[in-house]
Amino acid sequence: MSEFGPVSRFGPMGYVMRLQRRGFVLIGHGGSDDLAMASTYVLAKPGSPHVVKVGVNPDGDPWPIYAAWCFHRPGPFKPVVRSLRWYGRGIGRFFVATMDRLHAPMSGFDKPPQGARERIIRAKSLDLVVRLNGALDGWYKANLARGIDRREWRGEAQDARLTHALAKRCAKAGLSDVAGFLRSLAAAFPKFHMDPAPHNWMFREDGALVMLDPFTRILADIPATAPRLIRRKP
């Protein structure tokens, strides 16, 4: 049995294993600390500036919609999405996206840097990270004081006014550009539960901050069908 548990050659884990046989290396996963229970897997070839993200079960996961939004409306704080494709049907449906590689997750700034690139990014970004972490920490604590827990799927937790409250905190911290980005998220996705935790923020190679995944998994209005392929020309 593989490290992913039982695997169908036609399912998402089979797709991940085929990529590994082609020289791709698993560099991250999300949704669970248990590799076999993860909802997303990220792979890349050593030295490549791009990664492949495989989403095991997109039902209730707004990330593909966020990725499509970033593709059609590129700009600051957004990942560069190169392609997005769906495979399978029903509970076996999964997505595969290619995107530019990101580095130095904000949640890891209290740990030793992994290589010279990350050390340079941290040196440039430390002040920004300190201010953004302060705004995020205050926002999460204020939500908990109101009985709103990001780990629960509550109606009030999907209120766009919460995102505007975070934008105000960012503006007060001197991060007006981040505040503007958050307001655009609230306008585009008013029903999605924002979860902008530090591990969801990373950096491009040039040191630009990127919101990798702004939402938690929710029972949202995720389309059952989607464009089969979205691809950016080189």
Side-chain angles (χ1 to χ4, degrees), residues 15 52-56 58 63-64 67-68 71 81-88 93-98 226-231:
Y15 193 98
V52 177
K53 181 173 181 176
V54 180
V56 174
W63 189 86
F71 177 87
V81 178
R82 301 286 174 179
S83 68
L84 177 63
R85 187 167 186 170
W86 281 257
Y87 295 88
R93 195 165 63 105
F94 65 99
F95 68 82
V96 177
T98 57
R228 296 299 297 176
L229 184 65
I230 304 174
R231 178 169 293 155

Side-chain angles (χ1 to χ4, degrees), residues 77 163 166-168 170-171 175-184:
F77 307 109
T163 305
L166 176 58
K168 288 181 180 179
C170 288
L175 303 173
S176 58
D177 50 353
V178 176
F181 170 69
L182 291 170
R183 292 188 186 102
S184 69

Side-chain angles (χ1 to χ4, degrees), residues 66 69-70 73-78 160 163-164 167 176-192 194 201 211 214-215:
Y66 174 65
W69 183 64
C70 294
R73 298 175 179 270
F77 307 109
K78 299 176 183 179
T163 305
H164 286 289
S176 58
D177 50 353
V178 176
F181 170 69
L182 291 170
R183 292 188 186 102
S184 69
L185 272 176
F189 305 99
K191 296 182 180 180
F192 291 171
M194 278 288 294
W201 297 87
M211 168 60 94
F215 309 116

Side-chain angles (χ1 to χ4, degrees), residues 58-136:
D59 290 340
D61 186 354
W63 189 86
I65 294 179
Y66 174 65
W69 183 64
C70 294
F71 177 87
H72 289 295
R73 298 175 179 270
F77 307 109
K78 299 176 183 179
V80 177
V81 178
R82 301 286 174 179
S83 68
L84 177 63
R85 187 167 186 170
W86 281 257
Y87 295 88
R89 296 179 180 178
I91 62 172
R93 195 165 63 105
F94 65 99
F95 68 82
V96 177
T98 57
M99 53 193 291
D100 285 7
R101 191 167 189 164
L102 298 172
H103 308 272
M106 221 169 67
S107 58
F109 267 56
D110 59 342
K111 301 173 184 176
Q114 298 182 0
R117 179 189 290 112
E118 191 165 308
R119 190 177 298 111
I120 293 170
I121 291 173
R122 290 189 185 193
K124 292 179 178 179
S125 311
L126 184 59
D127 178 64
L128 182 156
V129 168
V130 169
R131 286 186 285 160
L132 182 53
N133 265 327
L136 292 171

